[in-house]
Amino acid sequence: MADRAESEARVAEETLRAWERDQAQLKADVIDQDTQEWQSNPSFAGLERVGGVDLSYIKGDDTSACASLVVLSYPDLEVLYEDCCMVAVNAPYVAGFLAFREVPFLVEALQRLEQKEPGLRPQVLLVDGNGILHHRGFGIACHLGVLTGLPCVGVAKNLLQVDGLANDELHKEQIQDLQAGGDTFPLLSTSGKILGMALRSYAKSTKPVYVSVGHKMSLLSAVQLVHSCCRYRVPEPIRQADIRSREYIRKHLEAVSASPQPERMSEDADSEH
């Protein structure tokens, strides 16, 4: 047993080192500036399709999830395309390395879109998670952006407390100062670098969302886009991806429970093994 535990620990350590190397290599390709013509227009003229992605897990099972991709029209925010797929999540959860656990399934969803409806390819992706607001400046929104080449924006519901950021009394006071929808304040690292923005995305919401650059988009444009996509606190592309993935899981579990179960072997048969 001790040998097995040592072997598993060695494999986990090797995996972590490989992830660190991959993350560092991919990080070098991140572009934190506007790169698309539509981004230079104050009203985002030319932007027609905004994607949202999400992974929802079956309650009590962190290895079974539904990967969801939706594409919405812009600025109307009507769903043009959806893809939901049950996936087996085998990579372990390690803080700071969420992308290695979830991004492969999101990339596959985008590949299916390219095959089925290439004309509906999103021009930008909103990701439920962080971009450069991350332990090593390379969150899931950066990872997905670099792998797909798409502009990506990280939108988190909770503050990732890294590099001097803390959910302390000062932070809570800053949140209270966000009076209207669209109000923001910068999230500053200990060195004074802006890692992202806290945004009051919806006038009736007392909690902000945390926006950070993923890839091929400036923070200013990212915040403006996220705000323009909000009918509620969470931007509509991510909200729809979440709603549809949870509904897909519900139907999946209903189908599983309704399907005939294999007959259990008799006790006599069991005793033979």
Side-chain angles (χ1 to χ4, degrees), residues 27-260:
K27 181 181 175 181
D29 293 329
V30 168
I31 299 170
D32 61 1
Q33 300 295 323
D34 290 335
T35 58
Q36 312 298 308
E37 192 173 336
W38 59 264
Q39 293 165 340
S40 62
N41 189 295
S43 62
F44 293 141
L47 177 60
E48 298 176 348
R49 298 174 306 282
V50 179
V53 291
D54 184 61
L55 231 73
S56 292
Y57 290 82
I58 290 179
K59 190 173 182 180
D61 183 355
D62 64 359
T63 63
S64 297
C66 175
S68 175
L69 162 69
V70 296
V71 180
L72 275 60
S73 62
Y74 188 88
D76 298 332
L77 303 178
E78 300 298 329
V79 176
L80 303 173
Y81 174 91
E82 79 170 270
D83 177 284
C84 292
C85 181
M86 295 304 299
V87 296
V89 184
N90 297 315
Y93 171 75
V94 181
F97 295 93
L98 177 66
F100 291 93
R101 182 171 162 83
E102 297 189 350
V103 158
F105 306 113
L106 304 178
V107 171
E108 288 174 2
L110 284 158
Q111 290 171 342
R112 286 193 294 272
L113 168 71
E114 294 276 9
Q115 293 169 356
K116 292 190 278 188
E117 296 280 358
L120 294 180
R121 187 176 194 262
Q123 293 163 275
V124 59
L125 277 177
L126 302 188
V127 183
D128 183 11
N130 292 293
I132 65 171
L133 172 54
H134 179 264
H135 302 81
R136 285 168 299 283
F138 192 77
I140 189 169
C142 299
H143 202 125
L144 187 59
V146 171
L147 289 184
T148 62
L150 286 169
C152 279
V153 178
V155 186
K157 293 184 282 292
N158 299 300
L159 176 68
L160 185 61
Q161 300 187 52
V162 296
D163 204 359
L165 296 177
N167 190 17
D168 54 16
E169 288 306 312
L170 173 60
H171 186 75
K172 290 170 183 173
E173 287 174 13
Q174 289 174 309
I175 289 174
Q176 288 177 350
D177 289 338
L178 301 176
Q179 296 296 312
D183 284 357
T184 63
F185 65 84
L187 303 168
L188 300 174
S189 70
T190 49
S191 65
K193 180 182 178 182
I194 298 177
L195 301 178
M197 296 285 267
L199 165 70
R200 183 163 181 165
S201 54
Y202 177 59
K204 295 181 181 179
S205 177
T206 56
K207 294 181 179 179
V209 292
Y210 298 97
V211 181
S212 56
V213 170
H215 188 47
K216 290 187 173 181
M217 198 158 185
S218 69
L219 182 57
L220 185 66
S221 294
V223 170
Q224 183 185 342
L225 176 64
V226 170
H227 183 230
S228 71
C229 286
C230 286
R231 291 175 174 167
Y232 303 95
R233 179 190 173 211
V234 175
E236 203 63 14
I238 293 175
R239 181 173 169 270
Q240 287 297 329
D242 177 67
I243 288 171
R244 289 158 194 265
S245 63
R246 292 179 189 280
E247 177 64 11
Y248 193 87
I249 285 176
R250 187 186 67 78
K251 290 180 178 178
H252 168 76
L253 292 176
E254 282 181 357
V256 169
S257 63
S259 63

